[in-house]
Amino acid sequence: MNKLNFNRLLIPLLSILMGLLVGAIVMLIGGYDPIRGFSSLFEGMVGSPYAIGETLRAAAPLVFSGLAVAFAFRTGLFNIGVEGQVLIGWVAAVYVGINFDLPMFIHLPLAILAAMLAAAAWAFVPGFLKAKFHVHEVITSIMMNYIALYTTNAILRSVIGVTNERTESINESASLASPWLQELTQFSRLHWGVLIAVLAAIVYYYILQRTTLGYELRAVGFNKHASQYAGMSVNRNIILSFVISGMFAGLAGAMEGLGTFNGMTLSASFTGVGFDGIAVALLGANTAIGVVLAAILFAGLNIGGLAMQLGANIPSELVKVIIAAIVIFVASGYAFNYVIDKFKGNRKKGVEKK
Amino acid sequence: MSFLEVLYIVVPVALAYATPLIIAALGGIFSERSGVVNIALEGIMVIGAATGIITTLTLTDMGLGGLSPWISLLIAMVVGALFSLFLAVPAILWRADQTVLGVAINMLAIGLAIFVVRVLYNKGQTDFIEYRIAKENVPILSDIPVLRMFFINVQYTSFIAILLAFVVWFVIFKTPFGLRLRSVGEHPMAADTMGINVTKMRFMGVMLSGAFGGLAGAVYAVTVTTNFSGTTIVGQGFLAIAAMIFGKWNPLGALGAGLFFGFAQALSIIGSNLPVISNVPQVLLLIAPYALTILALAGVVGRADAPKSVGIPYIKGKR
Amino acid sequence: GGDDNEGASNGEGGGEGSNFKVAMVTDTGGVDDKSFNQSAWEGLTKFGEDNNLTENEGFKYLQSSKQADYQPNLQQLARDNFNLIYGIGFLMGEDIQKVAEQFPDNNFAIVDMVVDAPNVASITFKEQEGSFLVGVVAGLTTKTDKVGFVGGVESDLIKKFENGYKAGVMAVNPDATIDVKYAEDFNSAEKGTAIASGMYGAGSDIVYHAAGGTGVGVFTEAKNRKKNGEDVWVIGVDRDQYEEGLPENVTLTSMVKRVDTATYEVSKLAMEDKFPAGEIVEFSLKDDGVGIAETSSENVSADVLAKVEEYRTQLIDGDITAPATDAEFEEFMKTVK
Amino acid sequence: MEYVIEMLNIRKEFGTFVANDNITLQLRKGEIHALLGENGAGKSTLMNVLFGLYQPEGGEIRVRGEKVNIENPNIANDLGIGMVHQHFMLVEKFTVTENIILGSEPKSGLTVDRATARKKVMDISEQYGLRIDPDAKIEDISVGMQQRVEILKTLYRGAEILIFDEPTAVLTPQEIQELIQIMKRLIEEGKSIVLITHKLKEIMQVADRCTVIRRGRYIGTIDIDETVNEDRLAEMMVGREVNFNAEYSKADPQQVVLDVQKLVVKDSRGLEAVDGLDLQIRSGEILGIAGIDGNGQTELIEAISGLKKPESGKVLLNGKDVTGFTPRKVTESGVGHIPQDRHKHGLVLDYTIRDNMVLQTYYKEPFSKRGLMNYKAVAEKAKALIEKFDVRTPSVDVPARALSGGNQQKAIIAREVDRSPDLLIAAQPTRGLDVGAIEFIHEQLIKEREKGRAVLLISFELEEILHVADRVAVLYEGKIVGIRDPKETTEQELGFLMAGGKRGEETV
Ligand SMILES: Nc1ncnc2c1ncn2[C@@H]1O[C@H](COP(=O)(O)OP(=O)(O)OP(=O)(O)O)[C@@H](O)[C@H]1O
Ligand SMILES: Nc1ncnc2c1ncn2[C@@H]1O[C@H](COP(=O)(O)OP(=O)(O)OP(=O)(O)O)[C@@H](O)[C@H]1O
Ligand SMILES: [Mg+2]
Ligand SMILES: [Mg+2]
């Protein structure tokens, strides 16, 4: 047990180190100075209250999209449609944020709820089609992403009435923004969403590990045949899992609409939040705490990448290479285990000889 | 416009749209039939597109002229196959989760490709290539009435894609190699006991998929965008995966799915020129290809059974 | 590295010019988008070179890979004491507004958008005027009396291109039909080819695009068709896109939008302490902020160019007004017939 | 004496676990050599070492006197060693021929030469009397034929030494007899065979010698002749005396618990697998269903337990109509179910033993309150159950996957029996288990009966049914074609009925 926990921590840490090493090598090949690169990268990640604020701010939506992907994974499903669900959640939150005038304690929760419900409804589609028609959820989700993209723009134009690329700003009563947090972090865009993110991670853990529903969802995820024999409704669970996953995704959209951007822009391409969520979920081993940590790391590297551009003139694409390398190394945990075991084995033998 | 005139417009557009999708989906089939999930197709296409453009530019500079894009296709296949080692090695040798790897490789590809372009050209996107693979009217065939819709305004790469679908079908279902490849994706332990080298077969599956993915990306780049930037390949790989599943992991199915998709896209884009469709709100036209695909899946195609062991690392002797 | 320089420049007074630092934040298109980001950067580069500034120290750009990067990029530059910071593209409006508030001592400028703040200059262009002129070219050149327009994502900005163009066509060729289509995407060359294929296939012989990367597809399709002997043209946008049309030579003309002039001029004003803070700086035909490309004489006949020149004068003199919105276009059409 | 195979002092470790500890097995040419041991003793492991699937940590292997290093199955094939695995190694979507030729396909040009392949396969099949349909897909053929395909695979590759790992566990009595004939024919052709089986009767019937291992250790090798009997083998294997023919108490049937009326159920291909079946079971009796696999057993169980909707007919439980109920409702009406496929249907292998113990009851108090799990209560329950049913596991917190097959089965029985169902359906509850485990499970079934439950036992092994059941119903083509008292019938009579004889003469 002990050894297991040890390796579970050691491997991500080693992976991060090796990922950075890969980054350094690529920097050298590209003719850049790795020391300067990394110092401005870290500076930009955590080097100032501003950096920390932006890192946490950027982590919030990733926590949600990561949880969304992880939740589906834990129940045996691949929700590659988080991207589209984020967009739908975002537009719903902004709609409520703009079109209602309510006291904050009603308005803000209402806007968040709207995001969750809209995204859940979006996620219902692949779940339902899988359950009823055996349609592979991966294709449906991919298709639903594109549909979301165009539908969102159409809603922004025809329902919210955007003519000039961007919605008006949401009413303050629906905003997650906090002048206090912003000031504290030298005008980063840190907002109250980070608290909701932490809360969501706890809820995620709670649903899966503590509730009866979680027991059932995980059982179906592991073995749907046995679950069916045991009297669980596989179809209901598939749909439910997608719907809950969609709710997390919707929250990611709410973070963007009510926290970071206070509105929404007509978008011609995907936000990337959903796709990054896949990597975050997997790096975090689909556990609540893992997802939170992975999201912070991702966000930090992304934000730090901007500073790296400024401080060392290194293109921020490099950050993508580093993140990818880290994920590949984490995924290759078996190889690490093997090497670690070999290393330990050799050492033990060495000791025995003496 | 007469119905035929409409087809003369729609069919070439559909073919052009379908071409890279079909090729990439064929690649996906190789990989998944061997038991390795290939979400990385998107990233491999990115690498293929970058390679296609960079080599075309270089070869043109060397004076190869109109041959450059064709040679670049071959080089993109090689580079794609090599790049797919990022998937093959951890997935097959180190038992890494294949979906995770795929997602990471997609990120790696775009990061790496742009980085290389920056290092080579000192800017974020390449110049336009001088020689591309152009649309042509096929001699003689494009004069046949009605049938000419398949031969006007068409790139030869489209025919290559269709031909490849049949070739891949032949390889997968008729040759010993195909039999072994499929056995490894269905029941690797059974294959192993029959003396088939599971590791080798899976490497071949993934690398073939890399070659096809690279080709698909390069075809896209040298026929459509004619330069490479971070937004050259955005989502085509995922659509190819959808086409692969839609086609039930069968090369001819993928061909059909790719064409279906191409037609839906072409209709949605050209639709507003047609009398019936021109009154439909644009958003409905935009989402039509995707919605139609879902409907087709739910209504007609139904359950698609993936190769049984796809996504599961093979561990000798694991029960 | 950087620290030494900072110390140095803070320590000594230095010449007036060498202390001035100017930077820009690109939108997601990137600095070499062959469009307005690139144009803006060319303006800054020229400005820098003319004033002996070093790249990355005295003049610099930061690239944004997503929308969320705009604000941190702007803030980073502000914190790094750049005197004037450009946000390139209307998508950055909100962010400029915020950051300008947070950093009242820096000056900011935004392109293609109006931001109301005391330390922000808003740079806009009368794209409808330039588009009107290329519309005139199209209307007079078309042999089929059918021309096309491909927009990226439908918005007020792109509408200015569309309406100006349509008005120009109609002004000289009231019988023409204009096929308008939005790709809902600035980056899909694939859609560009498909849309162009549809337009050319249905009889249009000239297509004007205001669609960024999607427009690349329009060029590809036109080149393919020209190669096969069809007589088709593309009208480029933002910069002179003559080269994009080679080797088949399909660029009829381009509607140029001199973002480079704008960034150059505004930087110059700022360095001379004449920064138009809180003002809208509009670039139009009159000051060569928009216009048609110089290479137009290659493919456009002299008669047509003469006609263009007529309209140009009328537009500058205010005898006619190029419409920017759908409503203005309706109004304009009443004057045509 | 000439040995074709000698495995000397073989040691195989899985991590820290020693599965084979110094085991020796010597195979003479032309003999059938039985390998006997409890579940988990290490038999399959030893044979996998011989076949090149595992590399041993110690010991050496000689083939025809020569020391060899069998690094992979290819080398084993080259040495003429073929293996029929415990869990079939067949690609379900492939045809019989494709499975047989896989890896050494005849070619014509670039393609697989199907005609030649088919002919070769048919030739061997005729030579050894192994009936198969060369063009059928594996997923569509019976288990017996699948097994013959496995044997053909080895013969196609020219195997001289054949390893059979529990070939009879999944076969019907007729198929077992056929297999025994096949093995004898193989010996006549000069082949040598290692046979793993838990059925002592089979060893007595065909084996020349028998090697016994226990918990990874070598116990001994004996000649099978008049001096040995089944009891002696069992004792060697288990290390204590085993009571086979325990006399169970007499049944005392009471009211009807399960009443199946004119039931019609379609199978996955849409054929009527259960075809107007009538059946009654009373409380306090065990009704055994005898029949050849594929005569509607699976569909009957699925219809009773709510997994499949019947086309027509009724299922009454304690007089209440439960036809078409969901599995959950059927369970709640008092039905327990020991499924045939324990890995697929009985357990969530990745769940801990603890979580598996409440697979049907997790949503009820005390395990769940107001939507929340009470894992403490679950753990207590699980501990009590593994104690009571002697499930051998390091703790309740290990995944079910980690347990041996026998212990997995015990865990399922513990769970199902513990819910005190009025009707207990036991489908092949002892398949693949060793004699000790079988004895235990039979005792549990009898205990249930004594508590006044109704037990529906489905088994392909007549011996088991005759031993445990109070009444035997013979199932043929979806109907009950006869009901017999096990004391008054014989295997011959049942076998005759099962094959469709005397149909229609009996009424239920
Ligand atoms: N190959 C597959 N592709 C997609 N979804 C599947 C697939 N196999 C099973 N499912 C999903 O899992 C559920 C349960 O699977 P199961 O194998 O029991 O299906 P089934 O027995 O055909 O279902 P039904 O009882 O509805 O006929 C199905 O309802 C379906 O939603
Ligand atoms: N790959 C493996 N990894 C770890 N342990 C294993 C592995 N294979 C087998 N074992 C363990 O080794 C022991 C022997 O297993 P083996 O399959 O050889 O038993 P067996 O005698 O064939 O039993 P059965 O009669 O149930 O088939 C068991 O305890 C089993 O759990
Ligand atoms: Mg075994
Ligand atoms: Mg079923």
Side-chain angles (χ1 to χ4, degrees), chain A residues 26-302:
Chain A
V26 176
M27 280 186 214
L28 279 175
I29 295 173
Y32 301 102
D33 176 0
I35 296 177
R36 201 160 145 215
F38 280 123
S39 59
S40 46
L41 178 67
F42 293 126
E43 182 78 26
M45 275 174 86
V46 289
S48 61
Y50 171 80
I52 294 173
E54 271 296 312
T55 295
L56 291 179
R57 194 271 312 159
L62 291 184
V63 170
F64 291 113
S65 61
L67 290 176
V69 177
F71 195 88
F73 265 132
R74 285 292 283 271
T75 56
L77 299 164
F78 186 14
N79 183 0
I80 199 169
V82 171
E83 187 66 46
Q85 292 145 23
V86 169
L87 283 172
I88 294 294
W90 188 343
V91 80
V94 168
Y95 176 81
V96 173
I98 290 175
N99 286 306
F100 291 77
D101 227 343
L102 295 164
M104 187 163 194
F105 74 96
I106 303 177
H107 198 185
L108 181 55
L110 189 69
I112 293 174
L113 196 70
M116 290 171 68
L117 292 181
W122 205 256
F124 171 82
V125 175
F128 175 79
L129 291 175
K130 181 173 176 76
K132 286 287 176 246
F133 298 106
H134 301 307
V135 180
H136 204 298
E137 80 263 26
V138 168
I139 326 187
T140 345
S141 303
I142 291 175
M143 298 297 143
M144 289 299 284
N145 283 343
Y146 286 96
I147 297 178
L149 186 63
Y150 298 120
T151 307
T152 308
N153 280 357
I155 292 173
L156 284 174
R157 284 207 188 94
S158 57
V159 182
I160 304 187
V162 173
T163 56
N164 207 8
E165 298 84 42
R166 190 183 185 281
T167 64
E168 53 190 291
S169 290
I170 53 164
N171 293 332
E172 227 147 85
S173 52
S175 173
L176 286 164
S178 150
W180 179 70
L181 284 176
Q182 289 175 0
E183 227 148 289
L184 200 69
T185 56
Q186 304 167 323
F187 300 122
S188 81
R189 287 170 289 176
L190 189 60
H191 55 77
W192 292 120
V194 288
L195 285 189
I196 306 180
V198 173
L199 211 67
I202 296 170
V203 168
Y204 172 93
Y205 170 84
Y206 210 73
I207 294 179
L208 279 181
Q209 303 296 341
R210 289 278 161 252
T211 66
T212 311
L213 176 67
Y215 174 92
E216 196 172 311
L217 285 169
R218 281 184 297 135
V220 173
F222 281 134
N223 184 346
K224 64 178 184 195
H225 301 286
S227 306
Q228 196 185 9
Y229 263 68
M232 304 172 194
S233 164
V234 172
N235 286 346
R236 190 189 81 120
N237 276 291
I238 289 175
I239 296 175
L240 209 56
S241 166
F242 255 101
V243 165
I244 295 174
S245 170
M247 286 186 178
F248 282 114
L251 282 167
M255 290 304 107
E256 303 294 65
L258 309 176
T260 304
F261 295 105
N262 278 307
M264 190 171 188
T265 310
L266 290 176
S267 51
S269 59
F270 291 118
T271 63
V273 170
F275 293 124
D276 285 351
I278 302 172
V280 166
L282 299 166
L283 188 59
N286 300 326
T287 62
I289 180 79
V291 165
V292 170
L293 292 176
I296 294 174
L297 177 71
F298 265 52
L301 287 171
N302 274 322

Side-chain angles (χ1 to χ4, degrees), chain A residues 206 208-219 222-223 225-232, chain D residues 307 327-328 337 339 343-345 347-348 350-351 355 358-360 362-363 368 371-373 375:
Chain A
Y206 210 73
L208 279 181
Q209 303 296 341
R210 289 278 161 252
T211 66
T212 311
L213 176 67
Y215 174 92
E216 196 172 311
L217 285 169
R218 281 184 297 135
F222 281 134
N223 184 346
H225 301 286
S227 306
Q228 196 185 9
Y229 263 68
M232 304 172 194
Chain D
L307 291 158
R328 166 138 311 159
H337 182 183
H343 285 177
K344 189 169 176 190
H345 296 136
L347 292 168
V348 175
D350 294 300
Y351 260 1
D355 290 352
V358 292
L359 214 51
Q360 286 96 346
Y362 63 95
Y363 61 95
S368 166
L372 294 185
M373 291 297 288
Y375 281 111

Side-chain angles (χ1 to χ4, degrees), chain D residues 377-390:
Chain D
V378 177
E380 275 163 26
K381 177 87 208 172
K383 279 181 191 147
L385 284 179
I386 63 167
E387 182 114 349
K388 190 166 156 204
F389 285 82
D390 188 31

Side-chain angles (χ1 to χ4, degrees), chain B residues 317 319, chain D residues 14 17 19 38-45 54 86 166 198:
Chain B
R319 306 201 284 184
Chain D
F14 292 114
F17 178 81
E38 286 176 287
N39 291 123
K43 305 178 295 291
S44 298
T45 305
Y54 295 152
Q86 183 169 5
E166 281 190 54
H198 290 294

